[in-house]
């Protein structure tokens, strides 16, 4: 069974640009959540999507947005990039519902964004 | 507000020695608690979780954790550490019922000496 796939794995942008990151969840998983990991702030929850609807949102500015498609694939977008947005962005998928749900998040390897 | 505190930033343990990583949480309702491990260059992997029931939970790789409501703690333990256990360990609490939106602690880096 394929794991969570995130693309691109590495990218470099300059301040003011925007970026789109993609996440393909494990087949059958309907929940996709996004986290930002930085050395200073650690792992911080961005948002979660379930069945194409944003179900939970973390405390990030509106420059951070996301969406989920009917096949459960998800994208997150960061507009007007700032230096502080440099981070590892992790995506996680979960069944999130039903008797087979174990409550486990399955994480991808992340997309490492560098903003210059 | 919900929060998770891991008081130890870095711990070094001798191979074969026992390990305890501390985790304290702040959460109003019954918490869903997790321990994840992140090895260099790899994604996060679930070690164990507590949703309800027995307060001593067993996980993968020989890890266990004990939920103590009175102390708001969920400490991770392993009786004998192996060199391959060197990694960063994260404690987390879910703030939604599905357990999919997590607040993480800042992590504890474990080094294993021979």
């Amino acid at each position: 069974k394929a794991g969570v796939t995130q693309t691109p794995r590495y990218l470099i942008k300059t301040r003011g640009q925007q970026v789109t990151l993609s996440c393909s969840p494990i087949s059958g998983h309907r929940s996709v959540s996004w986290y930002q990991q930085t050395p200073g702030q650690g792992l911080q929850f961005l948002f979660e999507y379930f069945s194409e609807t944003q179900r939970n949102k973390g405390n990030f500015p509106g420059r951070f947005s996301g969406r989920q498609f009917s096949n459960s694939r998800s994208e997150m977008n960061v507009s007007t990039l700032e230096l502080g947005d440099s981070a590892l962005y992790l995506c996680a998928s979960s069944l999130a519902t039903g008797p087979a749900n174990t409550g486990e998040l399955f994480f991808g390897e992340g997309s490492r964004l560098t903003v210059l | 507000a919900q929060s998770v505190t891991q008081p130890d930033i870095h711990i070094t343990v001798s191979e074969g020695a026992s390990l305890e990583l501390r985790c304290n949480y702040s959460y109003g309702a019954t918490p869903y608690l997790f321990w994840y491990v992140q090895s260099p260059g790899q994604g996060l992997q679930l070690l164990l979780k507590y949703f309800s029931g027995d307060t001593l939970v067993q996980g993968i790789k020989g890890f266990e954790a004990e939920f103590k409501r009175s102390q708001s703690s969920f400490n991770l333990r392993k009786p004998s550490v192996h060199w391959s256990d060197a990694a960063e360990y994260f404690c987390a609490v879910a703030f939604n019922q599905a357990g999919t939106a997590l607040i993480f602690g800042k992590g504890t880096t474990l080094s294993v000496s021979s």
Side-chain angles (χ1 to χ4, degrees), chain A residues 35 37 48 56 102-103 105, chain B residues 34 36 38 49 96 100 102:
Chain A
Y35 293 82
Q37 186 174 24
E48 182 216 0
N56 293 280
T102 62
L105 293 183
Chain B
F34 307 80
Y36 280 85
Q38 186 177 36
K49 63 182 184 289
N96 67 334
T100 52
L102 304 184

Side-chain angles (χ1 to χ4, degrees), chain B residues 32-90:
Chain B
Y32 294 166
L33 295 161
F34 307 80
W35 275 99
Y36 280 85
V37 61
Q38 186 177 36
S39 300
Q42 297 188 18
L44 289 147
Q45 182 184 23
L46 179 68
L47 285 175
L48 47 77
K49 63 182 184 289
Y50 171 79
F51 278 14
S52 65
D54 193 349
T55 56
L56 183 64
V57 293
Q58 303 296 322
I60 63 171
K61 305 184 181 186
F63 286 93
E64 67 177 27
E66 186 171 12
F67 169 60
K68 293 185 177 180
R69 185 187 297 276
S70 62
Q71 298 177 20
S72 297
S73 69
F74 188 56
N75 294 347
L76 181 71
R77 301 193 294 247
K78 186 170 185 178
S80 178
V81 168
H82 188 261
W83 64 266
S84 61
D85 293 325
E88 190 159 20
Y89 292 79
F90 294 93

Side-chain angles (χ1 to χ4, degrees), chain A residues 4-107:
Chain A
V4 177
T5 304
Q6 291 189 244
T7 56
R9 291 291 313 281
Y10 302 91
L11 67 166
I12 300 173
K13 294 285 186 179
T14 57
R15 280 181 298 173
Q17 287 187 310
Q18 74 164 11
V19 66
T20 298
L21 309 177
S22 178
C23 173
S24 293
I26 291 172
S27 178
H29 286 192
R30 295 166 63 190
S31 166
V32 173
S33 50
W34 289 88
Y35 293 82
Q36 181 196 64
Q37 186 174 24
T38 60
Q41 298 300 316
L43 280 154
Q44 294 185 281
F45 173 77
L46 281 156
F47 29 66
E48 182 216 0
Y49 286 86
F50 181 82
S51 293
E52 302 178 66
T53 301
Q54 188 180 86
R55 192 160 69 167
N56 293 280
K57 188 177 188 305
N59 189 26
F60 277 81
R63 299 186 297 108
F64 292 81
S65 63
R67 58 178 176 169
Q68 187 179 32
F69 302 95
S70 58
N71 62 358
S72 293
R73 189 178 70 85
S74 176
E75 289 181 347
M76 68 162 283
N77 183 276
V78 187
S79 62
T80 319
L81 284 165
E82 301 176 359
L83 296 178
D85 297 332
S86 294
L88 181 66
Y89 290 89
L90 292 166
C91 165
S93 76
S94 168
L95 278 170
T97 188
N101 180 30
T102 62
E104 178 175 0
L105 293 183
F106 294 84
F107 283 84

